[in-house]
Amino acid sequence: MRNFAIRTLTAIAYVALLTGCTVYSPVTAFFFFAIAAAACVWEFCGLMNKYAGATLVPSLHALGAILLTGAVWLMCIGNEAAGKTIALYGFLLLYIVISELYRRAENPLRNWSLSILSQLYIALPFSLLPMLSIKFDSVEGRFSYTWMYPMALFVFLWLNDTGAYLFGVSLQRYFPKKLFPRVSPRKSWIGSIGGALLTLTAALLVWHFVPGTLTLWQWLGFAAVVILFGTWGDLVESLLKRHLGIKDSGNILPGHGGMLDRFDSALLAIPAVVIYFILI
């Protein structure tokens, strides 16, 4: 019961902080997701150093996540500082690569590959979020910020996880077929179906109560992309942890593990949703 209370309080604080920062302004949204990206990258580097034989420098890679996130946010609002920020990010990547000549690491190839993975797998998805929230209004000649789509993305992820858990706990004894037993033995097909139904229902409600945004089919497509790639994102992180032989990516969030445990679904869902919005 105590563990449940801790998990609940942590979840409430996390949801409140993410929602508040996303809704309040683009500045608070940037700082929240830049810090989240840096924390996730730092945690990833620590795991690779401890369990995968790497010798990464977490602070450098976390700085890279902040620079990449900042560069894309500045680019989306047409700020001239975007170019300089990208240049700094490129310089940092060059430094990470060249520094292996002098560090005398046992396996520089491992360090290089994991350095690139930290930026592609974690930093890049967080940096893409402003592409869902910032648009240029050609009529008024200015940029506008909307929190609806990034917020909907995370709400869909939360509902998908919640529905999967509730349906799985309630019905798994009757429908025991596992979703991906090699990677995540506890996930079931019935749970995934329940999460999908809850998320699609939420998309239907958003379309009904928030007119003038996307069409019904676009909202349902949005939700479907989040369901599919959010589930894959969860499984990818489960595969990573299983390969490393650990249960949680960290312990920074009481009752929920690490930062990667909290954002695992989003790491694949965000770029997939950005691609979806570009296509529609």
Side-chain angles (χ1 to χ4, degrees), residues 111-155:
N111 287 343
W112 282 331
S113 58
L114 292 175
S115 295
I116 294 172
L117 183 61
S118 74
Q119 301 303 303
L120 290 180
Y121 173 51
I122 301 171
L124 180 61
F126 281 106
S127 73
L128 294 176
L129 278 169
M131 297 184 70
L132 298 176
S133 58
I134 298 175
K135 294 183 179 180
F136 180 73
D137 190 333
S138 58
V139 177
E140 298 186 8
R142 64 183 181 88
F143 292 91
S144 61
Y145 173 77
T146 175
W147 50 263
M148 178 179 296
Y149 300 126
M151 201 65 243
L153 186 154
F154 281 99
V155 170

Side-chain angles (χ1 to χ4, degrees), residues 2 15 44 46 52 77 108 137 143 165 173 188 227 236 248-249 255 271:
R2 181 174 177 273
V15 170
F44 175 85
I77 63 173
D137 190 333
F143 292 91
Y165 174 77
R173 69 180 70 178
S188 63
I227 292 165
V236 165
D248 297 319
S249 65

Side-chain angles (χ1 to χ4, degrees), residues 4 8 41 63 102 144 158 171 199 202 205 217 229 243 249 256 263 268 277-279:
F4 177 76
T8 301
V41 168
L63 176 60
Y102 303 94
S144 61
W158 298 335
L171 302 174
T199 307
L205 293 175
W217 290 108
F229 285 89
H243 178 74
S249 65
H256 288 266
F263 286 100
L268 293 190
F277 269 65
I278 292 173
L279 293 178

Side-chain angles (χ1 to χ4, degrees), residues 8-207:
T8 301
L9 290 174
T10 303
I12 291 173
Y14 160 72
V15 170
L17 187 59
L18 187 152
T19 302
C21 289
T22 303
V23 172
Y24 187 72
S25 77
V27 176
T28 55
F30 160 71
F31 277 107
F32 177 84
F33 289 112
I35 292 171
C40 287
V41 168
W42 189 298
E43 186 176 83
F44 175 85
C45 292
L47 290 174
M48 296 304 108
N49 289 346
K50 186 174 182 179
Y51 298 103
T55 54
L56 306 177
V57 182
S59 57
L60 285 179
H61 295 75
L63 176 60
I66 293 174
L67 288 174
L68 180 59
T69 304
V72 179
W73 278 82
L74 291 170
M75 189 183 302
C76 286
I77 63 173
N79 193 298
E80 295 180 355
K84 294 180 180 179
T85 308
I86 292 174
L88 284 174
Y89 179 67
F91 176 79
L92 179 65
L93 294 182
L94 289 174
Y95 173 79
I96 290 173
V97 172
I98 296 171
S99 65
E100 291 298 327
L101 290 171
Y102 303 94
R103 298 182 63 211
R104 299 181 181 179
E106 182 179 341
N107 194 331
L109 184 59
R110 178 184 291 136
N111 287 343
W112 282 331
S113 58
L114 292 175
S115 295
I116 294 172
L117 183 61
S118 74
Q119 301 303 303
L120 290 180
Y121 173 51
I122 301 171
L124 180 61
F126 281 106
S127 73
L128 294 176
L129 278 169
M131 297 184 70
L132 298 176
S133 58
I134 298 175
K135 294 183 179 180
F136 180 73
D137 190 333
S138 58
V139 177
E140 298 186 8
R142 64 183 181 88
F143 292 91
S144 61
Y145 173 77
T146 175
W147 50 263
M148 178 179 296
Y149 300 126
M151 201 65 243
L153 186 154
F154 281 99
V155 170
F156 288 163
L157 286 173
W158 298 335
L159 290 175
N160 190 43
D161 287 344
T162 302
Y165 174 77
L166 294 177
F167 275 71
V169 169
S170 304
L171 302 174
Q172 189 170 340
R173 69 180 70 178
Y174 307 109
F175 304 95
K177 182 69 174 177
K178 300 297 182 181
L179 177 67
F180 220 111
R182 181 176 65 87
V183 174
S184 185
R186 300 178 65 179
K187 295 187 184 301
S188 63
W189 272 104
I190 191 63
S192 296
I193 293 171
L197 290 175
L198 183 61
T199 307
L200 291 171
T201 301
L204 176 63
L205 293 175
V206 173
W207 167 77

